[in-house]
Amino acid sequence: MWVKRMDVAGARYVEVEDADPEQTVSKFIARWTAQTKLDVDPSLVTLRLVKCGARKPSAEEEKQAVELDPFDSLTVAGFTDNCKLLAFVASSA
């Protein structure tokens, strides 16, 4: 799967490997924030799933991304090997 930070101008999609399909979205967010060394509480990160298949999404598809429920498993949330995710990081201030 691929994740793109939306809080940084010019950020690109970065591949995240070996996600457990039964893991919750919340645990995936915690893993991703640790892996990317983000100095932010995982509760401040929201993921949105972009529905575009294996290709690079268009700007319009990114605008239509669906926010994921942190309680869902990755499978229930619709994660696949080539899915695209947008990571929104809220300010803690």
Side-chain angles (χ1 to χ4, degrees):
M1 63 191 61
W2 299 80
V3 181
K4 178 181 175 183
R5 286 182 62 177
M6 299 305 289
D7 63 318
V8 177
R12 296 181 299 176
Y13 283 94
V14 175
E15 192 168 15
V16 178
E17 298 178 328
D18 302 322
D20 176 1
E22 297 310 311
Q23 182 178 54
T24 63
V25 171
S26 178
K27 286 185 180 177
F28 177 82
I29 291 170
R31 173 189 162 198
W32 178 77
T33 56
Q35 181 178 324
T36 57
K37 297 177 175 59
L38 284 179
D39 187 22
V40 64
D41 188 293
S43 68
L44 297 174
V45 177
T46 302
L47 291 180
R48 295 183 188 173
L49 179 63
V50 181
K51 296 184 181 183
C52 67
R55 64 180 169 69
K56 182 180 177 181
S58 68
E60 185 60 33
E61 288 168 325
E62 286 185 343
K63 287 180 187 175
Q64 296 175 8
V66 178
E67 186 172 328
L68 299 178
D69 186 329
F71 296 100
D72 285 345
S73 70
L74 299 183
T75 301
V76 169
F79 282 41
T80 62
D81 285 341
N82 285 312
C83 73
K84 311 304 183 292
L85 302 166
L86 304 177
F88 290 84
V89 180
S91 171
S92 61

